[in-house]
Amino acid sequence: MKLAWQAGSRLDPAEHAWMRDPATQAVMAALEAAQPGGSRFVGGCVRNALLGKAVADVDIATRLLPEQVIAAARAAGLKPVPTGIRHGTISVISAGRPFEVTTLRRDVETDGRRAVVAFTQDWREDARRRDFRLNALYADFDGIIHDPTGGLSDLDPCRFVFVGSAEDRIREDYLRTLRLFRFEAWYGSGSPDAEGLAAARRLKAGLRSLSAERVWSELKKLLSAPDPGPAVALMAEHEILSEILGVNGSLRILVGIINQDISAGLEPDPLLRFVALIGGGPERIRIMAAKLKMSNAESRRLQGAVDPSLCGEVEAAFTDMAAAERAIMSLGARAFEDQVRLSAAGDVAPPPRDWTLLAKFAREWQQPDFPVSGGDLILLGYEPGPMLGDAMDALKAHWIAERFEPTKEELIARLKH
């Protein structure tokens, strides 16, 4: 990472694949043809390039009005989609990928969630309404860096400082409090801006005005960082976690899961990390899933991770592979692996068997087919209904307890007796 960046320095496209990408070049060329020098890369793509981080999404700020962006895109054979035209944003599709192109704007009115905007031709006005100085960096078509708010001074050490007054920026959109901690989790150097943290704490009640979907989305992004532990600890210290979740959670178990990910080279799993952070049993998870309006799939995953029905079997799995098979058969491989990892993360002493072996066993385990069907029981005289279901459940439980060894004939014989 080059640390001596200053306004007027240049991002060399030859060193940045996202800048020389033909899809990116096509969008910028279309905008430049409509107004030379009127469009610049902005936000995360510039920030990450300067930090030496990967660039995922490319956003562009322009002096062109939305209808002019649409016309410029069509003239170049690109597809414009008015995804946020009221706020000046047009998604221009190039090589099948969307590039958000937003007209320079200033906030006229805000209520902590939404803003009424007016378009402008002033780059400084556009920069002043952004959240953090590091997100208010621009680079033109040739890569020349423009820094209207002093964001380059925040690169080393990397920290996120609000543009202007921290309180003003947070009151404009309370989600910026969560974004502060999310960016710290992903990019921070351990020296967060004290003014921003203090403002976030003072204005934490404003988080109640946010929709549950926005809070959960932001929290998942934060927990997806390679090591969000320090940022989550800051959230607990400044009473942000208790404000959005009602609890501060268990940082010890969360750190245990994070350390597992790092030591085993696993991709961050925000859902498992959330379970570790929240702690508690099925009732707490049910309440949290409803509070944050999680999807049904997310809720089921979390419930499986704390299902208490086979706690003994999961604990026994660390010494008994037969118990592991029984637990996987009943819980499912995903829930079993989650419970194994949570159990290992919560143990003060190392468990008797390495959790990675049990996790691998769960991922590779092939469930045998239960050899008895409902039709077999009907042939024995059972009527379809609850009695047949109870008999099947009892038979299957016996089969699992015997490590899936009884044959169909042996199971039928057991029923006859």
Side-chain angles (χ1 to χ4, degrees):
M1 180 179 68
K2 178 179 178 181
L3 299 179
W5 292 108
Q6 55 187 331
S9 294
R10 180 172 179 264
L11 284 171
D12 186 352
E15 299 176 4
H16 299 279
W18 65 274
M19 292 182 73
R20 64 176 185 270
D21 185 330
T24 306
Q25 291 281 308
V27 176
M28 286 296 281
L31 299 172
E32 284 291 295
Q35 184 181 125
S39 301
R40 296 173 182 172
F41 300 114
V42 68
C45 60
V46 181
R47 177 198 68 221
N48 282 21
L50 294 172
L51 289 170
K53 305 290 187 181
V55 171
D57 300 317
V58 178
D59 293 337
I60 299 167
T62 182
R63 282 176 164 166
L64 295 171
L65 295 172
E67 56 269 23
Q68 293 174 310
V69 173
I70 291 172
R74 286 175 177 162
L78 304 175
K79 180 182 178 182
V81 180
T83 46
I85 193 168
R86 189 173 68 175
H87 291 94
T89 299
I90 305 296
S91 292
V92 177
I93 311 301
S94 179
R97 302 205 323 268
F99 293 76
E100 282 199 356
V101 181
T102 303
T103 302
L104 303 188
R105 66 195 193 196
R106 57 185 174 85
D107 291 339
V108 175
E109 181 183 336
T110 60
D111 64 1
R113 290 180 297 172
R114 292 174 292 269
V116 177
V117 303
F119 300 135
T120 180
Q121 294 290 296
D122 189 333
W123 292 100
R124 290 187 176 277
E125 273 196 313
D126 185 73
R128 282 196 293 267
R129 58 94 186 169
R130 295 181 180 273
D131 50 10
F132 304 103
R133 301 191 311 200
L134 273 178
N135 292 343
L137 295 167
Y138 303 79
D140 62 25
F141 197 16
D142 296 322
I144 302 299
I145 299 168
H146 302 267
D147 180 16
T149 66
L152 291 172
S153 63
D154 300 330
L155 284 171
D156 183 29
C158 181
R159 58 181 188 157
F160 288 83
V161 180
F162 284 99
V163 174
S165 162
E167 285 208 6
D168 289 347
R169 296 293 81 75
I170 291 174
R171 289 184 192 278
E172 288 167 356
D173 184 353
Y174 289 106
L175 192 68
R176 287 172 172 169
T177 291
L178 300 185
R179 285 169 61 83
L180 171 64
F181 293 100
R182 192 239 294 183
F183 287 132
E184 283 293 334
W186 275 94
Y187 308 108
S189 58
S191 55
D193 178 53
E195 181 189 348
L197 290 176
R201 183 170 189 154
R202 284 195 299 272
L203 300 176
K204 65 182 185 295
L207 293 166
R208 301 171 196 169
S209 67
L210 298 175
S211 70
E213 292 88 348
R214 292 182 81 194
V215 171
W216 177 225
S217 175
E218 201 64 33
L219 197 52
K220 278 192 292 186
K221 292 175 185 176
L222 187 156
L223 291 173
S224 296
D227 183 3
V232 174
L234 273 177
M235 293 176 74
E237 178 186 344
H238 291 275
E239 302 178 359
I240 304 302
L241 273 185
S242 59
E243 186 63 50
I244 61 174
L245 300 177
V247 295
N248 265 339
S250 173
L251 292 173
R252 182 178 68 86
I253 298 179
L254 171 63
V255 170
I257 293 293
I258 293 169
N259 289 339
Q260 288 176 1
D261 291 336
I262 294 171
S263 64
L266 300 175
E267 286 295 314
D269 184 339
L271 287 176
L272 182 59
R273 289 175 172 189
F274 181 78
V275 177
L277 172 64
I278 290 305
E283 181 62 15
R284 176 177 286 184
I285 290 296
R286 184 192 65 76
I287 292 171
M288 288 297 174
K291 177 184 179 71
L292 295 173
K293 296 189 177 178
M294 296 181 185
S295 69
N296 290 335
E298 290 171 335
S299 179
R300 285 194 298 270
R301 166 81 188 281
L302 269 56
Q303 289 286 345
V306 297
D307 185 337
S309 60
L310 290 168
C311 283
E313 296 281 28
V314 173
E315 291 296 326
F318 283 95
T319 55
D320 179 6
M321 294 309 289
E325 283 189 306
R326 291 192 296 270
I328 292 173
M329 190 68 183
S330 297
L331 289 171
R334 175 76 272 178
F336 172 78
E337 183 178 343
D338 287 346
Q339 291 201 21
V340 162
R341 291 193 59 187
L342 290 167
S343 177
D347 281 343
V348 176
R353 178 178 281 115
D354 190 341
W355 68 268
T356 59
L357 297 179
L358 289 177
K360 184 174 185 291
F361 179 70
R363 289 191 291 270
E364 295 178 353
W365 189 77
Q366 297 293 317
Q367 178 175 323
D369 293 326
F370 183 51
V372 178
S373 69
D376 295 324
L377 269 63
I378 289 174
L379 290 176
L380 292 176
Y382 283 84
E383 294 288 337
M387 288 187 65
L388 186 150
D390 290 344
M392 284 286 286
D393 289 343
L395 208 57
K396 194 169 187 178
H398 169 72
W399 178 67
I400 293 172
E402 294 297 318
R403 297 196 64 184
F404 325 111
E405 292 177 357
T407 64
K408 176 177 180 177
E409 291 71 23
E410 290 170 337
L411 292 170
I412 294 295
R414 180 181 177 84
L415 266 186
K416 288 180 178 178
H417 288 296

